[in-house]
Every structure is written in C-alpha cells, then in structure tokens.
Amino acid sequence: MSAIHDYRLRSSLMYNFFTMFSIRMRASKNRSQNLKTHEIHISGAEGIYEEAEILKIAKEYTERALNHPRGKPDNIVITIEKIKEKPKKVPLLPVTTLKCNSPDEAKKIITETLLNIGVSKKTVNNAFKVLTSKKTMRGASLITEKSGMSMEPDKARGIRISRLGIGKADEKILSKMLSKMGINITTVKEALILASKAASCSGVIAEVCVSDDPDYTTGYVSSKKLGYLRMPNIKNRGELHGGRVLFIKENANIKALINYLEKTPVLIYI
Ligand code: PML
C-alpha cells in the first residue's frame, strides 16, 4: 500500500469514529410543592449516531418526549455531543422471555435469581423499595451486593447509564433477531443495549429494571452470566412506579464504576 493510500485510509477511519455523536434526550415536568418547584421525570432516550442522522433522531426524540404516557413535559433537553474517544465494543446479552403471570411471581423469580448469585436478602429488599417507590429516581440506583447500601451520590438523579449505542449493521441484525421473537420494538432494543453496557462493567453483578411507563408491564433481570431475562407482568398496568437497580460488588471502586457507566462510549455488537 502506498504511503498516500495508507494515510487516506487511516484518516477516513479516524473521520468515521470522530464524527459519531451521542444524542441524549431528557423530558421532565415541573411540580410545585410547599413553595418549592422540583422536576418529575417523564422520559429519556439516547444512542450513538452518525452526523447524517442527527436531525432525524432529534425529531424522533422530541416526538417521543411530547407523546409519553407519563404526561406532557415542561422541559425537553436534547444534548448532541461529539464522541471524543473510540467507543469500546461490548457484546449484546442473549435474550430470554420467562413465563411470568403476576408481579408476585416476578418478585419471586427476581428474589431467587439474585439470592442464587450471592446477593443478600437485605439487598434484595432494599432494591424492591427503590423499584416500588412513588418517587422514581431518574437514573439507576447502585446497591452493594451484601450490605445493601445505596452508593449513588445523588438520590433523586441516580446514575445515568449513558453514551451507548449500536452500529447500523448490528442494529439490522438485532431487529431481525427480535422480530423472530415478536419483540422488535424500540423499548426492548434500548433496554437491551443499556443492560449489555451495564453487564460489561466490572463492578456490576446484576441489574433489575421495572419500566416507569404505566403502559409497559415487562421488566427484566440481567447480568453477564444470566443474560437478559425478560419478565412480563412485573407490574400492573397503570402503575407509575419503576426504576433500575444495579447490584455492585461490595468493594467496587465507585468513582471508576460511575465514570464507566456514565462517560465511557460503548457500542454493542452481536
Ligand atoms: C423502559 O421503559 O425503558 C424499560 C423497559 C424494560 C423492559 C424492556 C423489555 O425487554 O421488554
């Protein structure tokens, strides 16, 4: 290969990587109580995209924020940020849908699964308090596997698992795969991509998620070893509670863990 050709190839690869953007949306509602105003979470979404897709995605995210079952937002914040480091490649978790007929059954499955992988009963109980609380956390809660301590610095915000996405070719494969299972919808795709990033974090043992969307009643428990285990009827239709809990190693380096989950760009591959 000539020096010029080699230079062009290298610069085009660099161009591709440097022109990827993290696009994030957060929508909230203002609520006044006791002369104070605070924000209630309505919806969020994000992905990693090429420059040519920015307008389309910003429109899609805006429409999503304006038409969410949790209500009409007062604030929609869309952040478009150029990715500055090469995204880490992380494998997609395998997907299984379990048979689950009620929230009680889901609670039993989650509890048994977590106890089996060494999470303490106290930690499981604390996780259910977060997942069923009326005050939904915007991001994820971090709970230590044995002592059940909450480690997220901001209890209202939690940790936002961020800067994550999937390349176009892999997304096509994912769509086909999910279509065969009859679950090719954005909610599943986005949750699966997020769970795959969380499971790739060295201090994270497992995750449980219940959607805070009152119309969406499927949730999941996931980990590198378990894969992504979906549970229909994890909550009753109409309920507004929900959230995400990450079970973390007792001795996890919290700063490094949060930095990976929130800041390190990750692209999921199949
Ligand atoms: C969410 O509302 O974003 C979480 C959805 C979790 C479950 C998605 C699925 O696998 O059906």
Side-chain angles (χ1 to χ4, degrees), residues 5-207:
H5 189 182
D6 180 43
Y7 166 77
R8 282 201 189 128
L9 187 65
R10 271 189 293 123
S11 62
S12 86
L13 286 175
M14 281 172 65
Y15 183 74
N16 263 343
F17 143 59
F18 279 119
T19 48
M20 297 205 85
F21 290 80
S22 161
I23 309 183
R24 307 188 284 277
M25 178 276 283
R26 192 165 69 77
S28 62
K29 210 177 173 61
N30 300 332
R31 173 74 49 88
S32 300
Q33 213 173 23
N34 303 332
L35 299 174
K36 279 188 191 159
T37 305
H38 63 272
E39 285 186 5
I40 299 177
H41 168 76
I42 297 287
S43 73
E46 74 165 274
I48 293 179
Y49 299 97
E50 288 168 18
E51 188 175 344
E53 295 172 289
I54 292 177
L55 286 180
K56 185 183 107 198
I57 300 298
K59 183 170 179 278
E60 255 175 54
Y61 282 179
T62 310
E63 279 168 0
R64 226 204 272 188
L66 289 170
N67 297 297
H68 199 276
R70 284 179 69 82
K72 282 279 176 209
D74 294 310
N75 320 294
I76 304 172
V77 179
I78 295 189
T79 307
I80 302 168
E81 176 197 71
K82 196 167 165 181
I83 301 273
K84 292 185 193 75
E85 59 182 291
K86 193 167 184 238
K88 189 176 142 77
K89 294 282 190 147
V90 159
L92 186 84
L93 291 176
V95 183
T96 311
T97 302
L98 305 176
K99 206 177 143 296
C100 176
N101 292 315
S102 66
D104 281 347
E105 201 180 331
K107 190 169 180 180
K108 207 166 153 238
I109 297 171
I110 294 166
T111 306
E112 275 169 16
T113 308
L114 292 172
L115 293 181
N116 268 339
I117 57 169
V119 175
S120 74
K121 188 78 181 66
K122 179 179 176 190
T123 297
V124 174
N125 290 341
N126 289 353
F128 276 108
K129 280 184 201 150
V130 174
L131 297 170
T132 53
S133 166
K134 272 191 185 158
K135 274 192 189 165
T136 49
M137 209 180 266
R138 289 206 299 278
S141 172
L142 304 178
I143 308 191
T144 52
E145 59 173 328
K146 302 283 184 211
S147 54
M149 283 175 7
S150 297
M151 303 306 283
E152 63 281 356
D154 179 333
K155 304 291 169 214
R157 176 184 177 274
I159 302 303
R160 180 159 185 173
I161 304 166
S162 188
R163 294 169 174 88
L164 72 187
I166 187 163
K168 273 187 176 168
D170 282 316
E171 208 214 331
K172 273 192 183 155
I173 303 173
L174 177 60
S175 291
K176 273 194 189 154
M177 213 178 88
L178 295 177
S179 285
K180 280 190 192 151
M181 299 180 199
I183 49 171
N184 187 25
I185 54 169
T186 310
T187 310
V188 176
K189 257 192 213 165
E190 289 181 350
L192 180 55
I193 290 167
L194 188 151
S196 301
K197 175 171 182 181
S200 74
C201 179
S202 62
V204 171
I205 294 164
E207 178 192 345

Side-chain angles (χ1 to χ4, degrees), residues 187-188 191 209 211-213 216 218-220 228 230 244:
T187 310
V188 176
C209 171
S211 177
D212 59 7
D213 178 339
Y216 203 87
T218 299
Y220 65 86
Y228 180 86
R230 305 177 66 241
R244 210 166 232 122

